[in-house]
Amino acid sequence: MPEQISKKLGFIGAGQMAEALARGFIDKGVVKADTVHCTDPVPARREVFERFGAKSENSNVDVAKNSEVIFLAVKPQYVATVLKEIKQHLTDQHIVVSIAAGIPLAAMKDSAGDDKRLVRVMPNTPCLVGETASAMCLGGKANDADGDIVKTLFNAVGTIFKVDEKLLSAVTGLSGSGPAYVFVMIEALADGGVRAGLPRDIAQQLAAQTVLGSAKMVLDTGKHPGALKDMVTSPAGTTIAGVHELERCGARAAFINAVLAATTRADELS
Ligand code: NAD
């Protein structure tokens, strides 16, 4: 049973990411549904939250008044407006967690005031299935205990690491954009299976389950991926023939370059 958080949570913006987080926190038992508050200009989104037991409020200010940990889950262009709107109602007890991509802590401080407890989180889409790889950094008056609360919450829906804000672009380049690289890889592996004669649906499921199982082996054993690769490559066997072809095509460099290109782009955008 994961640790429980006794604080009331508020979601400003009840879209896809907010729903994934709120559902995950509740389903994993980290918070009780009736301690979760939300607001969203779209009634259908508030209704989604109500259906899993959360309370919907009429305004962003009401969410701020009724919660202690506030998630800013609006699109990045609305973060400043929302912070200015709720600024007067933020006390020194509130923790404000932004999941908006590319909005630095300095910009949050400009809008909310530099006496606020601010946290910036970079989640990724597997959050939608309870398997996020996230990173966070603390700003303003946020302290380690605030970081621990955010860590407990996100560990219920995957995993989270604390990093310096200057590394968030690298996090964006690796885990933020990473699901797309893995989707490309799964699609290509499935294409390979089809080219070799497998039906498409079987090929796709074999490819996805292979990625899932291999990732689980890395996480569960803690072994270096190279050591796990060596364990399955027998002399003059099939696997080393495939690995040789990956090396010949520069697959390793392609992944490294993809992470660097996305990191550079994240730096340009923030
Ligand atoms: P979304 O469009 O599903 O949700 C945003 C919600 O905010 C919408 O329901 C919208 O109606 C609501 N909203 C708009 N203006 C508002 C306002 N003034 N006050 C309150 N609510 C308002 O978007 P999403 O995909 O859930 O993304 C939310 C945030 O998460 C974004 O900032 C994005 O950068 C970040 N993020 C998303 C992903 C992802 O993969 N989707 C990954 C990392 C970070």
Side-chain angles (χ1 to χ4, degrees):
M1 192 71 183
E3 194 184 328
Q4 281 214 340
I5 297 292
S6 57
K7 295 196 179 295
K8 291 183 282 179
L9 305 192
F11 286 86
I12 295 185
Q16 296 305 315
M17 289 300 276
E19 179 186 346
L21 291 173
R23 269 187 197 280
F25 300 157
I26 294 166
D27 289 351
K28 292 289 164 73
V30 192
V31 292
K32 294 205 174 77
D34 61 4
T35 63
V36 175
H37 300 250
C38 81
T39 187
D40 197 293
V42 179
R45 293 309 308 166
R46 297 198 299 271
E47 283 159 23
V48 166
F49 270 62
E50 286 166 7
R51 280 200 290 276
F52 59 75
K55 292 180 179 159
S56 75
E57 306 288 350
N58 291 325
S59 69
N60 295 340
V61 165
D62 286 342
V63 167
K65 284 181 179 167
N66 287 309
S67 51
E68 295 157 290
V69 182
I70 303 172
F71 284 86
L72 298 181
V74 293
K75 291 288 186 195
Q77 63 268 31
Y78 301 124
V79 168
T81 316
V82 167
L83 279 173
K84 285 177 190 154
E85 196 184 336
I86 62 172
K87 179 179 178 176
Q88 280 185 314
H89 305 276
L90 293 178
T91 68
D92 56 6
Q93 294 305 306
H94 279 105
I95 304 171
V96 180
V97 183
S98 165
I99 62 163
I103 304 294
L105 287 164
M108 290 173 68
K109 265 197 243 178
D110 282 349
S111 308
D114 55 13
D115 56 343
K116 304 298 186 304
R117 292 154 72 171
L118 305 173
V119 183
R120 188 178 159 200
V121 173
M122 180 66 210
N124 66 358
T125 39
C127 185
L128 301 172
V129 292
E131 292 292 352
T132 188
S134 302
M136 67 167 162
C137 49
L138 307 182
K141 297 278 186 245
N143 55 38
D144 286 345
D146 300 335
D148 287 344
I149 289 170
V150 175
K151 202 170 178 182
T152 301
L153 288 166
F154 276 83
N155 278 339
V157 290
T159 193
I160 190 163
F161 297 91
K162 197 164 132 196
V163 298
D164 285 344
E165 189 175 29
K166 63 179 188 304
L167 291 176
L168 271 199
S169 293
V171 169
T172 306
L174 173 54
S175 52
S177 306
Y181 317 152
V182 178
F183 296 141
V184 168
M185 194 171 87
I186 291 172
E187 186 188 11
L189 288 172
D191 280 348
V194 171
R195 177 68 183 84
L198 288 168
R200 168 67 60 185
D201 58 335
I202 294 179
Q204 183 167 312
Q205 288 185 60
L206 285 174
Q209 182 66 29
T210 300
V211 170
L212 180 69
S214 307
K216 198 161 161 38
M217 280 183 75
V218 171
L219 294 174
D220 287 357
T221 65
K223 288 199 163 120
H224 189 286
L228 292 169
K229 182 260 298 167
D230 287 355
M231 280 163 54
V232 291
T233 43
S234 43
T238 57
T239 308
I240 195 65
V243 169
H244 181 192
E245 190 58 18
L246 283 176
E247 297 292 2
R248 197 185 64 77
C249 296
R252 197 183 287 260
F255 281 114
I256 294 170
N257 288 341
V259 174
L260 288 182
T263 301
T264 303
R265 187 69 187 127
D267 274 334
E268 286 167 6
L269 292 174
S270 62

